[in-house]
Amino acid sequence: MSEENWIEVGSTDSIEEEDLIRFDHQDKTFCVYKLTDGFYATDGICTHEAVHLEDGLVMDDEIECPMHQGIFNIKSGEALSPPACEDLKTYPVKVDNDKIFIKID
Amino acid sequence: MKNNIIILGGGQAGIYAAREIRQNDPKSNIKILGEENLLPYERPPLSKDFLLDKKKAEDLYFHSSDVLKNENIEFENISINKVDFENKKLFAKNDNVYSYDSLLISTGSENKKLTLDNNLKNDIYYLRNLEEAKKIKEIVSNKNKITIIGGGFIGLEIASSLSQLQKKVIVIEIGNQLMGRIIPKQIADLVQNTHIEHGNEIILNKQIEKITKKNDDYEILLNDNSLIETDFIIAGIGSTPTVKLFENTNLKLDNGIVTNQFCETSIKDVYAAGDVSNFYHPFYERNMRLESYQHAQNHGICAGKNIAGVKTEYTSIPWMWSDQFNLNLQLTGICDEYDEIIERGNDINNGVIYFFLKNNKIRGACGVGVIGKVGRDIRITSKLTEKDTIVDKQILSDQNLKLNKLIQK
Ligand SMILES: Cc1cc2nc3c(=O)[nH]c(=O)nc-3n(C[C@H](O)[C@H](O)[C@H](O)COP(=O)(O)OP(=O)(O)OC[C@H]3O[C@@H](n4cnc5c(N)ncnc54)[C@H](O)[C@@H]3O)c2cc1C
Ligand code: FES
């Protein structure tokens, strides 16, 4: 686990609780969430059709796609409600000195 | 007790009901009878990503045959043409007879057909199922100037897809706006502008007088005497519930099969769900019939619970979407019972939503915007509608104020 894999996303106060921000790195898009018990990260694009989840609704531990209401668990990435059926990829997150980092493989 | 449960109609409501029954009842026999020789599949992509070749037929199935096998749900490809409710039997064309203890009717809806006096029946195409979608896709590849009769959701989605396939598309609509009266005129106009910007021609307020075949092409005469030349015609002029089978029976019909909030019909042990059912909605205190993906799913699940003996009221707030070009349109609740309309936003790039209120509470909303821009607010609106609380209109109308503020209150 080399240090290089951790990418800085921004400061911890850049996300409101029960909300998310979009984070683009190289040619990939991620969503970084602040839930009541900490920060989480997933792929930024819905697995159903290529739609950005940044405009989706965060409720409890779930993100709901703004296009067709596919729902994913933010912590596990599990697809919970159709039309989404493929899971969303998740990424480890750490906080260091009020900065959020995600580990991209 | 081991029951024979039959699901008549192998579409979305049918498959969701079957799996829900199995979740609650490990023992009963569950058999789906479907006249399409396909496992249940999603219809929304037929007019969109399937025509655009972004999705293939095999991407559309809800579940593989393995899932059905594992859950011991049988699917039989058969068309039923007679029902005897008194003796609890269904009859197929090939003389097969099926006995049931409980029956779910989920036969969906079918396209209205144009009534033309000449012999053009086989020249006009309609879109409801995968077979028709395949045919349309194959034929349009050799056509250039396509006319779509009817400016409803499905017609417009086909118009959007064919335009993206570089076809010249004309849409003829009898009414004075697209997508009928359930969509606010302002939203219909925004969608219309997008079609026009992409090169589609939209003709409103016109009726078809006559269609004439000229070699391989067609001439469409409109009621203002104008003529349209075209080489392919698709009609999307609405649909009706598939109830012909029940017309001379005791089953209560009125714009579909009348059901209560438990998906029960007028006949004991007979349930109905999905497009075919005109169901009682306890929240709106009236009957309604919906043709939507979310409804077919949730109504199927609710019927499944009730059939398995888990008494469950259907209270889902209606929701549907339509995708055209880079736009996503969404509708929640009901938009025809209101005493006030509130507008949120005015730029399609950020999303535009109209809320329909009655006694200061939201009854429904309709929004359109570039993909992703209205979904969250429409979803929150569904939740607010369900809560049945008086809402702060200032927050509704100001796009800079987040709607979830209303929900946390
Ligand atoms: C082209 C198209 C695009 C759509 N796009 C959207 C969209 O973008 N968003 C949205 O919310 N909704 C959309 N819908 C609507 C949605 O797909 C339907 O509401 C949903 O499929 C209804 O499910 P159902 O189970 O009630 O009926 P269906 O899925 O239609 O299934 C009914 C099945 O019963 C079978 N059947 C009927 N009679 C018999 C019989 N006698 N014997 C045996 N089998 C029988 C039929 O062949 C059919 O397979 C679209 C529909 C179409 C056609
Ligand atoms: S694009 Fe996300 S659910 Fe369809």
Coordinates of all heavy atoms in Angstrom, one line a residue, chain A residues 6-38:
Chain A
W6 N -2.9 7.3 -2.6 CA -3.9 8.2 -1.9 C -3.9 9.6 -2.6 O -2.9 10.2 -2.7 CB -3.5 8.4 -0.4 CG -3.8 7.1 0.4 CD1 -2.8 6.2 0.7 CD2 -5.0 6.7 0.9 NE1 -3.4 5.2 1.4 CE2 -4.7 5.4 1.6 CE3 -6.3 7.1 0.9 CZ2 -5.7 4.7 2.2 CZ3 -7.3 6.4 1.5 CH2 -7.0 5.2 2.2
I7 N -5.1 9.9 -3.1 CA -5.2 11.2 -3.8 C -6.0 12.2 -3.0 O -7.1 11.8 -2.4 CB -6.0 11.0 -5.2 CG1 -5.5 9.7 -5.9 CG2 -5.9 12.2 -6.0 CD1 -4.2 9.9 -6.6
E8 N -5.5 13.4 -2.9 CA -6.2 14.4 -2.1 C -7.5 14.9 -2.8 O -7.4 15.2 -4.0 CB -5.3 15.6 -1.8 CG -6.0 16.5 -0.8 CD -5.1 17.8 -0.5 OE1 -3.9 17.6 -0.4 OE2 -5.7 18.8 -0.3
V9 N -8.6 14.9 -2.1 CA -9.9 15.3 -2.7 C -10.2 16.7 -2.4 O -10.7 17.5 -3.2 CB -11.0 14.4 -2.2 CG1 -12.4 14.9 -2.7 CG2 -10.8 12.9 -2.7
G10 N -10.0 17.1 -1.1 CA -10.3 18.5 -0.7 C -10.4 18.5 0.8 O -10.1 17.5 1.5
S11 N -10.9 19.6 1.3 CA -10.9 19.7 2.8 C -12.2 19.1 3.3 O -13.2 19.0 2.6 CB -10.8 21.1 3.2 OG -12.0 21.8 2.8
T12 N -12.2 18.7 4.5 CA -13.4 18.0 5.1 C -14.6 18.9 5.1 O -15.7 18.4 5.1 CB -13.1 17.5 6.5 OG1 -12.5 18.6 7.3 CG2 -12.2 16.3 6.6
D13 N -14.4 20.2 5.2 CA -15.6 21.1 5.2 C -16.1 21.4 3.8 O -17.0 22.2 3.7 CB -15.4 22.3 6.1 CG -14.2 23.1 5.6 OD1 -13.7 22.8 4.4 OD2 -13.7 24.0 6.3
S14 N -15.6 20.8 2.8 CA -16.1 21.0 1.4 C -17.4 20.2 1.2 O -18.0 20.4 0.1 CB -15.0 20.8 0.4 OG -14.6 19.4 0.4
I15 N -17.7 19.3 2.1 CA -18.9 18.5 1.9 C -19.8 18.7 3.1 O -19.4 18.6 4.2 CB -18.6 17.0 1.7 CG1 -17.4 16.7 0.9 CG2 -19.8 16.2 1.2 CD1 -17.0 15.2 0.8
E16 N -21.1 18.9 2.8 CA -22.1 19.0 3.9 C -22.5 17.6 4.3 O -22.3 16.7 3.5 CB -23.4 19.7 3.4 CG -23.2 21.2 3.2 CD -24.5 21.8 2.6 OE1 -25.6 21.4 3.0 OE2 -24.3 22.7 1.7
E17 N -22.9 17.5 5.5 CA -23.3 16.1 6.0 C -24.5 15.6 5.2 O -25.4 16.4 4.8 CB -23.7 16.1 7.5 CG -23.8 14.7 8.0 CD -23.7 14.6 9.5 OE1 -22.6 15.1 10.0 OE2 -24.6 14.1 10.1
E18 N -24.6 14.3 4.9 CA -25.6 13.7 4.0 C -25.6 14.3 2.7 O -26.6 14.6 2.0 CB -27.0 13.8 4.6 CG -27.3 12.8 5.7 CD -28.6 12.1 5.4 OE1 -29.5 12.6 4.8 OE2 -28.8 10.9 5.9
D19 N -24.4 14.6 2.2 CA -24.2 15.1 0.8 C -23.0 14.6 0.2 O -22.3 13.7 0.8 CB -24.2 16.7 0.9 CG -24.7 17.3 -0.4 OD1 -25.0 16.5 -1.4 OD2 -24.8 18.5 -0.5
L20 N -22.7 15.0 -1.0 CA -21.6 14.5 -1.8 C -20.9 15.5 -2.6 O -21.6 16.6 -2.9 CB -22.0 13.3 -2.7 CG -22.6 13.6 -4.0 CD1 -22.7 12.4 -4.9 CD2 -23.9 14.3 -3.9
I21 N -19.7 15.3 -3.0 CA -19.1 16.1 -4.1 C -18.5 15.2 -5.1 O -18.2 14.1 -4.9 CB -17.9 17.1 -3.5 CG1 -16.9 16.2 -2.8 CG2 -18.5 18.2 -2.7 CD1 -15.6 17.0 -2.6
R22 N -18.5 15.8 -6.3 CA -17.9 15.0 -7.4 C -16.4 15.3 -7.4 O -16.0 16.5 -7.2 CB -18.5 15.5 -8.7 CG -17.8 15.0 -10.0 CD -18.6 15.5 -11.2 NE -17.8 15.4 -12.4 CZ -18.3 15.6 -13.6 NH1 -19.5 16.1 -13.7 NH2 -17.5 15.5 -14.7
F23 N -15.6 14.3 -7.8 CA -14.1 14.5 -7.8 C -13.6 13.8 -9.1 O -13.8 12.6 -9.3 CB -13.5 13.9 -6.6 CG -12.0 13.9 -6.6 CD1 -11.3 15.1 -6.6 CD2 -11.3 12.7 -6.6 CE1 -9.9 15.0 -6.7 CE2 -9.9 12.6 -6.6 CZ -9.2 13.8 -6.7
D24 N -13.0 14.6 -9.9 CA -12.5 14.1 -11.2 C -11.0 13.9 -11.0 O -10.3 14.8 -10.6 CB -12.8 15.0 -12.4 CG -14.2 15.0 -12.7 OD1 -15.0 14.1 -12.3 OD2 -14.7 16.0 -13.4
H25 N -10.5 12.7 -11.5 CA -9.0 12.5 -11.4 C -8.6 11.8 -12.7 O -9.2 10.7 -13.0 CB -8.7 11.7 -10.2 CG -7.2 11.4 -10.0 ND1 -6.3 12.4 -9.8 CD2 -6.5 10.2 -10.2 CE1 -5.1 11.8 -9.7 NE2 -5.2 10.5 -10.0
Q26 N -7.7 12.3 -13.4 CA -7.3 11.8 -14.7 C -8.6 11.7 -15.5 O -9.3 12.6 -15.6 CB -6.5 10.5 -14.6 CG -5.1 10.8 -14.0 CD -4.3 9.6 -13.5 OE1 -4.8 8.5 -13.4 NE2 -3.1 9.9 -13.1
D27 N -8.9 10.5 -16.1 CA -10.1 10.5 -16.9 C -11.3 9.8 -16.1 O -12.2 9.4 -16.7 CB -9.9 9.8 -18.2 CG -9.3 8.4 -18.0 OD1 -9.0 8.0 -16.8 OD2 -9.1 7.7 -19.0
K28 N -11.1 9.7 -14.8 CA -12.2 9.1 -14.0 C -13.0 10.1 -13.1 O -12.4 11.1 -12.7 CB -11.6 7.9 -13.2 CG -11.3 6.7 -14.0 CD -11.3 5.5 -13.1 CE -12.7 5.0 -12.7 NZ -12.8 3.9 -11.9
T29 N -14.2 9.7 -12.8 CA -15.0 10.5 -11.9 C -15.4 9.8 -10.7 O -15.8 8.6 -10.8 CB -16.3 11.0 -12.7 OG1 -15.9 11.8 -13.7 CG2 -17.2 11.7 -11.8
F30 N -15.3 10.4 -9.6 CA -15.7 9.7 -8.3 C -16.7 10.6 -7.6 O -16.9 11.8 -7.9 CB -14.5 9.6 -7.4 CG -13.3 8.9 -8.1 CD1 -12.4 9.5 -8.9 CD2 -13.2 7.5 -8.0 CE1 -11.4 8.9 -9.5 CE2 -12.2 6.8 -8.7 CZ -11.3 7.5 -9.4
C31 N -17.4 10.0 -6.6 CA -18.3 10.7 -5.7 C -17.7 10.5 -4.3 O -17.4 9.4 -4.0 CB -19.7 10.3 -5.8 SG -20.6 10.9 -7.2
V32 N -17.6 11.6 -3.6 CA -17.1 11.5 -2.2 C -18.2 12.0 -1.3 O -18.8 13.1 -1.5 CB -15.8 12.3 -2.0 CG1 -15.3 12.1 -0.6 CG2 -14.8 11.8 -3.0
Y33 N -18.6 11.2 -0.3 CA -19.8 11.4 0.5 C -19.4 11.7 1.9 O -18.4 11.2 2.5 CB -20.7 10.2 0.5 CG -21.0 9.6 -0.8 CD1 -20.1 8.8 -1.5 CD2 -22.2 9.9 -1.4 CE1 -20.4 8.2 -2.7 CE2 -22.5 9.4 -2.6 CZ -21.6 8.5 -3.3 OH -21.9 8.0 -4.5
K34 N -20.2 12.6 2.6 CA -20.1 12.7 4.0 C -21.3 12.2 4.7 O -22.4 12.7 4.5 CB -19.9 14.2 4.4 CG -19.6 14.4 5.9 CD -19.3 15.9 6.1 CE -19.0 16.1 7.6 NZ -18.6 17.5 7.7
L35 N -21.2 11.0 5.3 CA -22.4 10.5 6.0 C -22.2 10.8 7.5 O -21.2 11.3 8.0 CB -22.4 9.0 5.8 CG -22.5 8.6 4.3 CD1 -22.6 7.1 4.1 CD2 -23.7 9.3 3.6
T36 N -23.2 10.4 8.3 CA -23.1 10.8 9.8 C -21.9 10.1 10.4 O -21.3 10.7 11.4 CB -24.4 10.3 10.5 OG1 -24.7 8.9 10.0 CG2 -25.6 11.2 10.2
D37 N -21.4 9.0 9.9 CA -20.3 8.3 10.6 C -19.0 8.4 9.8 O -18.0 7.7 10.1 CB -20.6 6.9 10.9 CG -20.8 6.1 9.6 OD1 -20.9 6.7 8.5 OD2 -20.9 4.8 9.7
G38 N -18.9 9.4 8.8 CA -17.6 9.5 8.2 C -17.7 9.7 6.7 O -18.8 10.0 6.1

